[in-house]
Amino acid sequence: MARTIRPSLYISVDIEADGPIPGPYSMISLGAAVAGRQDAAGYAAEADPEAHTFYRELRPISDTFVPEALAVSGLDRDRLVREGSEPAAAMAEFTAWVREVAVGAQPVMCGYPASYDWTFLYWYLMRFTGASPFGHSGCMDMKTLYATKARLPLRAVAKGTMPRSLLSRRRHTHHALDDAVEQAELFSNLMTWDPAPPA
């Protein structure tokens, strides 16, 4: 009997953190936007990546932080200590949102680069909810996707090396939701991009 393949729903995720790894350091904001859906017929981009989004600012989980990392987001750590969402509540709300937008499909996190954002996201989901709606490997890296299609070494890839037609016209602000929406557009452009074959 042939195995039924469920569609994939790609969710662009961007996180901001106050250090290089979760545990000693904290994820301080999380943004997500639905990028598109893929089934046997192909990939269909979300008409408006701002239509289905999620955003939370989180209370830090330790007193340790790297000032340079914190400065990237521009968030006030003292305010987050007072007013940020409890990580357990934020991760439960995020999981519920993912399940709601992904009804009938398997959710896949996509990021640029996915490695950093996925490390924090998966650690927080497992630490504070005990499960991940993406499973343990449901993530796709946009840099790898581009490198494969463009036939380039991965370490040669940066947004500046990509054709301008692939890039979103939105600014990369280091606000997690802004960047998730911007990268949802980049992901959809990459998924539908068909570069010319080599001569």
Side-chain angles (χ1 to χ4, degrees), residues 108-172:
V108 177
M109 175 270 194
C110 54
Y112 187 97
S115 53
Y116 182 76
D117 303 89
W118 176 254
T119 298
F120 274 89
L121 180 66
Y122 185 71
W123 190 94
Y124 264 70
L125 286 165
M126 296 306 296
R127 170 67 179 82
F128 293 107
T129 72
S132 164
F134 304 102
H136 68 276
S137 61
C139 65
M140 183 179 284
D141 177 43
M142 296 183 209
K143 289 185 74 170
T144 303
L145 178 60
Y146 175 76
T148 301
K149 285 194 166 192
R151 299 177 181 87
L152 290 173
L154 181 64
R155 297 305 292 268
V157 171
K159 285 183 181 176
T161 69
M162 296 180 179
R164 291 185 64 84
S165 59
L166 292 177
L167 302 176
S168 170
R169 294 183 180 180
R170 300 172 192 265
R171 290 179 56 240
H172 192 82

Side-chain angles (χ1 to χ4, degrees), residues 23-35:
Y25 304 100
S26 305
M27 177 166 67
I28 52 177
S29 64
L30 164 64
V34 173

